[in-house]
Amino acid sequence: MIDIQNQSDTREIPLQKVGVRGLEYPVQVLDKVHKTQQTTASVDLFVNLPHHFKGTHMSRFIEIFHRHHSDLSMKQFLLMLEEIRSKLDAQRAYGVVTFPFFIEKKAPVTGESGMMRYTCTYEGGVSDTVKNFFISIEVPVTTLCPCSKAISDRGAHNQRGHVRVKLLYGCFFWIEDIIAVIENSASSGVYSVLKREDEKFVTEHAYDNPRFVEDVVREVYIALRAFPLEKPFSWFRIEAETYESIHNHNAYACTEYGECPPSQGII
C-alpha cells in the first residue's frame, strides 16, 4: 500500500512537533502504600519532523505507549520516549502525561477516611545529547491570612488554594512524600471527610499557622532543599495560588531553585 507519510516534501519547512494530543488512556503508576495505582491519563506525544519528510506515523505513538502504559514509572517514561524517537527516525521526542493521583487520607481527629485527588504530570524530552524528565504535582491547600488575623478582633479570612511544584528528576522519590511537604507548608491541608471534631481542629490549626502565598512558597522551598534524597534536586519551581475569599482576585507567588537545563521545548 502507498505510504504517503514517507514521501518527500519540497517546501523545506521543518516542524518542531508532530504527534498525538489528548489521548485518554488507563495507566499504572507507583504508589507508596499499595505499590501500584491504576488511573487514567491524558497523553501528548510528539517528535520533530525534518523539512524533507511529509508526515509521521501517528499510529506508532499509540502502539509504543500501549506497550508501556502498564508500567509508567519515572524511569520507564524516558525509555518510552527513546523508543518513540528511534521507531519514528526522529532527532527528538517529547511527552506529557497528566493523571489524577489518589491517596486515602484520614481526618485528623476522628480518623475517618476519604480519597484525596492530586494532579500529577510527567514531562520529558530526549535527543542524542539531552534526556530530561520533569514531575509536576499540584496539591490543594488552605491558607489563613496573617494580616487579617493581626488586624481583626474576631477571626481571619481563609481560603482554599493550590500549590504546584515542578521538579527535575534526578533520582527516585515518592509522589506522596512531596505532597506531604506541600501540605505541611500551608496553613492546613484539605480533606475529603471531616466530622465536627475534625473541622474544629482544622480551623484552629489554620488559625495558629497563618500563611501568605509568599510564606507557602518559601516553606516549600526550604523543605525541598532539605528533602532526603541520594542526589538533591538540581532544579525546581514552586507556584502557590489562593482563591481569595474577600478579594476579587487570586493571590500568587512563584520561585525557582537552580538552573533549568535545556527543556527540549516541553516547559
Side-chain angles (χ1 to χ4, degrees):
M1 298 177 69
I2 297 175
D3 191 346
I4 298 296
Q5 288 97 328
N6 275 343
Q7 292 182 357
S8 61
D9 194 283
T10 60
R11 287 166 287 188
E12 298 187 348
I13 302 173
L15 304 180
Q16 279 70 47
K17 289 182 181 180
V18 297
V20 298
R21 197 170 193 178
L23 173 68
E24 299 288 331
Y25 225 82
V27 297
Q28 179 174 279
V29 297
L30 294 179
D31 183 306
K32 189 175 183 180
V33 175
H34 305 289
K35 296 185 178 179
T36 59
Q37 180 177 142
Q38 306 293 329
T39 185
T40 301
S42 176
V43 183
D44 303 336
L45 298 169
F46 313 104
V47 293
N48 74 302
L49 190 70
H51 69 85
H52 54 278
F53 286 125
K54 187 172 185 64
T56 192
H57 293 82
M58 300 293 181
S59 63
R60 292 182 186 172
F61 291 98
I62 314 301
E63 292 168 359
I64 295 170
F65 187 79
H66 182 74
R67 287 198 291 271
H68 289 268
H69 80 284
S70 61
D71 181 12
L72 203 64
S73 61
M74 298 176 183
K75 290 183 179 180
Q76 285 295 119
F77 191 83
L78 288 177
L79 293 176
M80 176 193 67
L81 290 182
E82 184 58 45
E83 184 178 345
I84 288 173
R85 187 174 79 94
S86 175
K87 292 291 185 182
L88 290 168
D89 195 25
Q91 298 164 320
R92 299 179 296 278
Y94 320 92
V96 181
V97 176
T98 300
F99 56 92
F101 187 81
F102 292 92
I103 297 177
E104 184 177 9
K105 187 175 180 182
K106 293 184 177 180
V109 178
T110 64
E112 292 289 335
S113 294
M115 299 302 295
M116 281 293 299
R117 180 192 189 277
Y118 305 90
T119 301
C120 299
T121 302
Y122 290 171
E123 300 175 71
V126 300
S127 69
D128 284 334
T129 58
V130 175
K131 289 181 173 61
N132 285 327
F133 179 41
F134 299 86
I135 302 99
S136 298
I137 304 168
E138 186 175 287
V139 178
V141 297
T142 293
T143 61
L144 184 134
C145 178
C147 181
S148 177
K149 176 180 177 179
I151 65 176
S152 301
D153 292 331
R154 298 181 299 279
H157 79 82
N158 52 23
Q159 49 274 319
R160 188 153 53 99
H162 280 85
V163 178
R164 186 172 188 261
V165 170
K166 186 169 187 176
L167 305 151
L168 176 63
Y169 179 79
C171 60
F172 179 79
F173 61 87
W174 291 106
I175 289 174
E176 293 91 332
D177 292 341
I178 301 296
I179 290 172
V181 162
I182 295 170
E183 291 182 335
N184 291 335
S185 299
S187 297
S188 174
V190 174
Y191 299 82
S192 58
V193 178
L194 290 174
K195 309 300 283 185
R196 282 177 297 176
E197 302 95 321
D198 304 305
E199 186 170 344
K200 178 179 185 298
F201 176 89
V202 169
T203 301
E204 293 174 347
H205 180 76
Y207 190 81
D208 292 336
N209 294 275
R211 295 282 192 274
F212 293 125
V213 287
E214 298 94 328
D215 296 316
V216 175
V217 164
R218 287 171 172 145
E219 290 297 321
V220 176
Y221 184 104
I222 292 169
L224 291 179
R225 292 288 290 122
F227 195 79
L229 282 175
E230 181 180 332
K231 181 181 178 183
F233 294 119
S234 60
W235 178 87
F236 55 75
R237 178 192 297 143
I238 308 161
E239 298 174 277
E241 183 173 4
T242 57
Y243 314 119
E244 296 291 285
S245 59
I246 65 170
H247 304 294
N248 192 30
H249 58 262
N250 295 347
Y252 176 83
C254 175
T255 193
E256 292 186 10
Y257 167 79
E259 184 175 350
C260 189
S263 63
Q264 295 285 36
I266 60 173
I267 290 185

